[in-house]
Amino acid sequence: MASITIDISDEQLQKLQGLAQENGISLEDLLRARIEDWLSHPTSDFAQAANYVLKKNAELYRRLA
C-alpha cells in the first residue's frame, strides 16, 4: 500500500475532521472512502455538465459549423 502527503489549510483540515466526526469514522477512512468513490465515478459530474452544455448549445454549434 502506498502513502501520500498533501498540504491543506487549517480550515480545510477542521472541516474534514468535522465531517469524519459527524459520520463516526476516522479522517483517514473518510478520505479513503471519498477517493474510492471519485475513482469509481471519475467523470460522472463532468460528463453530465458537458452533455448539458452540448444539448443546450446544439443549435449554436450547428450554425457555427
Side-chain angles (χ1 to χ4, degrees):
M1 184 179 290
S3 296
I4 61 170
T5 302
I6 61 168
D7 295 321
I8 60 172
S9 70
D10 291 339
E11 182 180 335
Q12 290 171 322
L13 177 60
Q14 289 175 351
K15 287 180 179 180
L16 288 170
Q17 288 171 329
L19 286 171
Q21 188 174 27
E22 288 173 15
N23 289 287
I25 58 176
S26 70
L27 178 56
E28 291 83 1
D29 286 341
L30 174 76
L31 295 173
R32 204 174 285 115
R34 183 59 186 116
I35 290 168
E36 181 60 37
D37 183 52
W38 180 59
L39 292 173
S40 297
H41 306 90
T43 60
S44 63
D45 290 341
F46 175 77
Q48 288 175 353
N51 284 333
Y52 170 78
V53 170
L54 290 173
K55 286 178 184 177
K56 181 180 178 190
N57 296 317
E59 179 62 22
L60 174 63
Y61 298 146
R62 188 190 63 74
R63 289 181 186 181
L64 291 173

